Every structure is written in C-alpha cells, then in structure tokens.
Amino acid sequence: MLNTVFDAPIPRLVVSSGEPAGIGPDLCVELLRNPPRHCELVVVADPSIIERRASALGHEGLDITRFNPALARCANRTLILPVQAANKNARPGILDHRNSGYVLSCLDKALELCRNDERTALVTGPIQKSVINDAGIAFTGHTEYLAEKCGVALPVMMLVSGQLRVSLATTHLPLSAVPEALNTALVEEVISITDQGLRARFGLANPRLAVCGLNPHAGESGHLGREDVDIIAPAIQRQRDAGLNVVGPLAADTVFSPQIRTRYDAVVAMFHDQGLAPLKALGFGETVNVTLGLPIVRTSVDHGTALELAATGDAKSGSMRAALATAQAMLNSGAP
C-alpha cells in the first residue's frame, strides 16, 4: 500500500498550450527547454506550432518527444501530445477563429490524461474567449467548460498568491447581475467547497476562512443593502454550526489589509474584482488560478494571451511556473 508521497507514482503535469496566436506557445517552448523538476511534463499542442515559435524565439532544433501512454512515467522527462491545428501557419498576435476547435481539442486531450489518475494534474495555458465565441462556440471560460466536462454543478474559482488565497462566489458576471445571482445556498456551498479543497489539496486540517460582504462596510447592518444580512450572514452561520472555522461578512476594503488577511487561510469574495483586484495588486505575475470542486487538480496562469508579446521573447513565465509548482504541491498534498 502506498503510504507516503515518496512511494506514490511520479507526478505528471499536463499543460494545454492555449491560444496559438498568444504567448501560450512561448511558455510551452520555455517549459520544454527548462522543465520543472521531480515530475513528468506533457505539453498538449500542435508540434509544428511549437517548433515555429521556438524558431522565432531563437531556439531552433528543439527536441520534442511524442507522448506514449504505454510508457511508464518518468521524472524530469518532457513530452508532447500532438493535436493538429486547422491553421498551422497561425501568425503570432493575429487571432484566427479557425483554430478555436484546436484550442478546445487541446484542452479535451489534456483533460483525458487527468481523468481517473490522482497523480496527474491539468495546467492550462491562456486562451482567448472572444475568438472562440466568434467561431460560434458558446464558451465562458476554462472553469465553466471543465466543470461541464466533468459533470460538476458548482466549480469554485480560487486564486492563490503565496499564502493569500481568494475564492469567488460568482465569477464572470456583469456587476449588475451579481446581487441577483447570490443566494444563501450558493454562498454556503462555496464556503464548503473552499474548506474541503484546502483540507484535501493544501494540507490544512482546520482552514480559517473569512467571507466578504457584498456591499460597502458589509452593508452597515442593512443600511447599505440587505444582501449581507439576509443572504451572506445566514450562510456563514450554517457553516459555523456545521463546524467550519469561518467568520464574516467582513468589509472587503479592510479584509485584505496585512493585519487582517494573515489571520486567515482563504478569503471568500462575492464577485470577481472584489477578490481579484487586491490579490493581483499584491502578486500579479506569480498568481495561480485553481479550480476547486473538480475531480482533478487544475491550475492555470493568472494572465491572458498577451497577443502583443507573442514571439517577442518578452513573455514572462512566472505565473506558469507558479501554476506548475502549485499543481505539483496539490498532487503531493493529496497523495495517499
């Protein structure tokens, strides 16, 4: 029986290469040249796109080995799982809706490798949601897409920067739609999924959670909006009654101050920018997007496709490196 992380199989990190016109291929070239240690890395991409991007970056002759599922995994090995793009000559910085199917195929192939394998994690490169929609494909984001593929009703987006972790009760919604989207059951479940994720994947036995209010000053006892009193506070109380270590609703303008945020292992924010604006101000470029509630470990970079940086050599790999390290740590925390 496996009983320590050192007895467990070598971690495998599977990277979906993302939008071919953006910096996703640049990041893949960097990973293939300088892979993370103590794991097996599999890049899912069209080899011709990776080779052309490597050449543009001055790295001709990049050694690419094809992934073979029959081979036992091996630490410090880099592989590529080929997926064919519609337009192999896609130009850096120039979006082409014909490659939208390729982008999603890379994601699907990467997900397949992670299913039913507790020692394999998915790390997603940046995609361009607009061009996928321009191709006539309904797509709101990685989180929602992967949740649907995995049959998960409520995935939870959590951003991680060092010891600061922020989960979101709502994600990609117009601000005007947030109050209507919130309800006590939703907030309660997001708190629960965050707690479970911190226990299972971050090795925390009793996570300390802070929950933001929706309105300024957490509603001022209902004088600045009733959502904090009528929706958020009851959800917190139910989870406290269930034994969770959770407090709130707290004013979002103070919970991220150094004196307060260090008291908690994670903050649950009510909407996208409420949580991510302060987090990215503190750690942009080294922040990791984690999806909780999925049957797999999934992390991602915290930035977009950066079309203007593609093939220039100016793309930074800090967030991708952090996403890989976080995924590997999560696999190790969840090892039997």
Side-chain angles (χ1 to χ4, degrees), residues 7 16 28 71 113 153 163 190 244 278 313:
D7 295 325
S16 60
C28 291
L71 295 178
L113 287 187
Q163 295 303 306
V190 170
L244 273 63

Side-chain angles (χ1 to χ4, degrees), residues 106-141:
C106 287
L107 189 55
D108 291 342
K109 291 290 186 182
L111 177 59
E112 285 178 19
L113 287 187
C114 299
R115 289 183 181 273
N116 303 314
D117 187 342
E118 294 183 352
R119 298 292 290 161
T120 298
L122 171 62
V123 181
T124 54
I127 57 176
Q128 189 86 15
K129 289 180 282 189
S130 61
V131 76
I132 296 175
N133 287 312
D134 288 344
I137 303 171
F139 186 86
T140 57

Side-chain angles (χ1 to χ4, degrees), residues 11-17 28 31 36 39-45 67 73 79-81 106-115 117 119-125 296-300 320 323-324 327-328 331:
R12 174 182 287 156
L13 305 181
V14 183
V15 177
S16 60
S17 52
C28 291
L31 294 179
C39 68
E40 181 178 85
L41 178 73
V42 180
V43 171
V44 184
F67 174 75
R73 68 183 68 188
L79 304 164
I80 190 164
L81 176 59
C106 287
L107 189 55
D108 291 342
K109 291 290 186 182
L111 177 59
E112 285 178 19
L113 287 187
C114 299
R115 289 183 181 273
D117 187 342
R119 298 292 290 161
T120 298
L122 171 62
V123 181
T124 54
I296 65 167
V297 170
R298 180 259 171 165
T299 67
S300 183
M320 175 58 80
L324 290 163
Q328 190 166 349
L331 288 177

Side-chain angles (χ1 to χ4, degrees), residues 221-336:
S221 300
H223 295 289
L224 292 178
R226 296 292 308 176
E227 292 88 354
D228 304 278
V229 174
D230 296 337
I231 295 174
I232 301 171
I236 295 169
Q237 188 57 55
R238 289 181 187 177
Q239 291 292 16
R240 286 176 63 86
D241 292 343
L244 273 63
N245 188 355
V246 55
V247 300
L250 302 180
D253 64 345
T254 58
V255 74
F256 292 101
S257 65
Q259 298 86 350
I260 297 178
R261 69 173 184 262
T262 53
R263 301 175 190 171
Y264 306 104
D265 297 304
V267 176
V268 178
M270 291 300 106
F271 58 92
H272 188 278
D273 287 11
Q274 182 188 61
L276 301 196
L279 184 140
K280 289 190 176 183
L282 292 168
F284 188 77
E286 296 184 353
T287 300
V288 179
N289 186 342
V290 175
T291 305
L292 300 179
L294 298 179
I296 65 167
V297 170
R298 180 259 171 165
T299 67
S300 183
V301 296
D302 73 337
H303 55 73
T305 53
L307 299 171
E308 71 282 1
L309 298 180
T312 67
D314 293 330
K316 305 299 183 185
S317 62
S319 184
M320 175 58 80
R321 295 283 179 185
L324 290 163
T326 300
Q328 190 166 349
M330 291 174 69
L331 288 177
N332 290 339
S333 291

